[in-house]
Amino acid sequence: TMGRKNNTQVPDFILLGLTDSEEAQRVLFVLFLLIYLVTMLGNAGMVLIIRLDLQLHTPMYFFLSHLSFLDLSYSTVILPKTLENLLTSSKYISYVSCFTQMYFFVFLGATECFLLSSMAFDRYVAICNPLHYPVVMSTRFCCSLVFASYSIGFADSFVNVLCMSRLHFCDSNVIHHFFCDTSPVLALSCIDTNDIEIMIFIVAGSTLMVSLITISVSYASILSTILKITSTSGKRKTFSTCASHLLGVTIFYGTMIFTYLKPSSSYSLGKDQVASVFYTIVIPMLNPLIYSLRNKEVKNAFIRVMQKGEGSGH
């Protein structure tokens, strides 16, 4: 193995993608392109409406605009390359591009975990301590939470890429996936990846657990508060403010845990790719739909912004 270690770095990787059949590739191309356009429009629209409408300048919508920004970036890290691979027969991705994609993917994913925790905490304060809400969720505190989320995401991805850059690739450069995710790239290494896997597992696991515990505790408190409300309409009204967040969180963590918290030896192409498609491509599109369609405030704000635009147009 020592002799082979010298010709280690492969100049680029080949992303096998989701399917070999050309017809399926064309169908997926059209489907993913539509999803990408909806994702970009939906998330950019949310950011704009929250920026432009003063009534949405509240902590909940401040977090939501960052969530939309993350989803927009997340899609852009993965989808354009995937679309290019579906359309052209060349499936190359350079070594640097591959690691850049992995870095941003982990960075945005980890940041989203902690942003979702911040949103859960925001709902907890709003429902369980409504009188203290303006004091607790001050602009400064909200900015700190968002800054902390990005910082933790940055640290996570830094550790991840630092570990991954110690790998040596000598045999195969074919990634059995449609983007540079950690497990499929780890599978190509010709040195033992045990320590690196443990390190990545600890970082990813602690990120998921800390943010999940925060969310669970917040929602347990919210639930007990809702159950104490005597009127049914009061219960329903209070629950509806966090139902959309709960739905978003469940889908996000469900697929994340399904994909990552299991050993890479059990990495199977079919099942894992379906889960990956779900949280890298479908969820960023669903988030603005989940948060805006269920939400009268966003709809009203949209109407207000449109009317303002018409008013200034005349």
Side-chain angles (χ1 to χ4, degrees):
T1 54
M2 278 317 289
R4 263 176 47 210
K5 230 174 177 172
N6 296 335
N7 58 353
T8 45
Q9 289 327 39
V10 285
D12 41 23
F13 294 109
I14 297 169
L15 286 168
L16 268 193
L18 289 160
T19 171
D20 291 334
S21 121
E22 279 197 2
E23 271 135 43
Q25 282 180 359
R26 277 198 292 272
V27 171
L28 283 177
F29 176 79
V30 173
L31 182 66
F32 286 177
L33 185 63
L34 281 172
I35 289 178
Y36 187 51
L37 293 173
V38 172
T39 305
M40 295 304 275
L41 274 170
N43 286 301
M46 284 294 275
V47 172
L48 269 174
I49 286 174
I50 293 168
R51 269 281 133 83
L52 294 171
D53 192 79
L54 291 173
Q55 287 185 27
L56 296 185
H57 288 195
T58 64
M60 182 169 122
Y61 289 105
F62 173 67
F63 292 131
L64 202 51
S65 67
H66 278 278
L67 185 71
S68 286
F69 170 71
L70 285 177
D71 282 337
L72 208 137
S73 314
Y74 202 67
S75 291
T76 305
V77 167
I78 291 178
L79 265 171
K81 188 70 196 165
T82 307
L83 289 170
E84 185 197 337
N85 283 359
L86 285 169
L87 204 59
T88 60
S89 49
S90 109
K91 299 193 181 298
Y92 283 103
I93 182 167
S94 74
Y95 187 80
V96 176
S97 304
C98 191
F99 272 79
T100 308
Q101 194 179 45
M102 195 190 305
Y103 176 83
F104 279 104
F105 170 70
V106 175
F107 168 59
L108 296 164
T111 304
E112 186 155 330
C113 283
F114 285 99
L115 193 66
L116 289 169
S117 309
S118 307
M119 290 168 82
F121 180 72
D122 170 72
R123 292 297 82 210
Y124 158 74
V125 180
I127 290 167
C128 303
N129 296 310
L131 296 176
H132 296 140
Y133 184 73
V135 183
V136 177
M137 300 306 287
S138 64
T139 310
R140 193 170 169 188
F141 183 61
C142 293
C143 290
S144 308
L145 281 176
V146 168
F147 180 72
S149 303
Y150 282 102
S151 307
I152 295 168
F154 175 78
D156 269 15
S157 52
F158 189 71
V159 170
N160 189 307
V161 169
L162 213 60
C163 290
M164 296 295 285
S165 63
R166 290 175 40 221
L167 298 178
H168 290 282
F169 307 100
C170 40
D171 301 336
S172 169
N173 65 340
V174 178
I175 297 172
H176 291 266
H177 208 23
F178 63 97
F179 70 98
C180 290
D181 199 358
T182 12
S183 355
V185 174
L186 272 171
L188 300 183
S189 173
C190 49
I191 55 169
D192 179 45
T193 59
N194 222 350
D195 307 348
I196 296 175
E197 272 182 61
I198 289 167
M199 187 67 193
I200 289 174
F201 186 80
I202 289 170
V203 170
S206 55
T207 297
L208 279 171
M209 289 329 291
V210 170
S211 55
L212 254 182
I213 288 166
T214 312
I215 291 170
S216 311
V217 171
S218 298
Y219 273 103
S221 316
I222 287 171
L223 206 67
S224 73
T225 304
I226 289 176
L227 292 175
K228 284 180 197 147
I229 299 173
T230 42
S231 73
T232 322
S233 67
K235 271 187 182 143
R236 192 177 298 126
K237 195 180 171 203
T238 312
F239 185 68
S240 74
T241 59
C242 44
S244 47
H245 182 246
L246 204 53
L247 182 64
V249 163
T250 311
I251 298 172
F252 181 77
Y253 281 97
T255 47
M256 276 290 205
I257 288 167
F258 174 79
T259 316
Y260 288 110
L261 293 189
K262 57 178 199 297
S264 66
S265 52
S266 70
Y267 176 79
S268 71
L269 198 58
K271 274 208 317 285
D272 283 14
Q273 280 200 328
V274 171
S276 298
V277 165
F278 208 77
Y279 69 79
T280 53
I281 295 172
V282 180
I283 288 181
M285 174 184 74
L286 286 183
N287 271 345
L289 300 177
I290 289 172
Y291 289 107
S292 60
L293 293 181
R294 291 189 46 91
N295 193 321
K296 281 199 189 75
E297 283 179 351
V298 174
K299 285 182 200 161
N300 294 341
F302 181 69
I303 293 164
R304 277 196 300 274
V305 169
M306 282 299 153
Q307 283 168 345
K308 218 188 268 177
E310 277 174 22
S312 63
H314 289 317

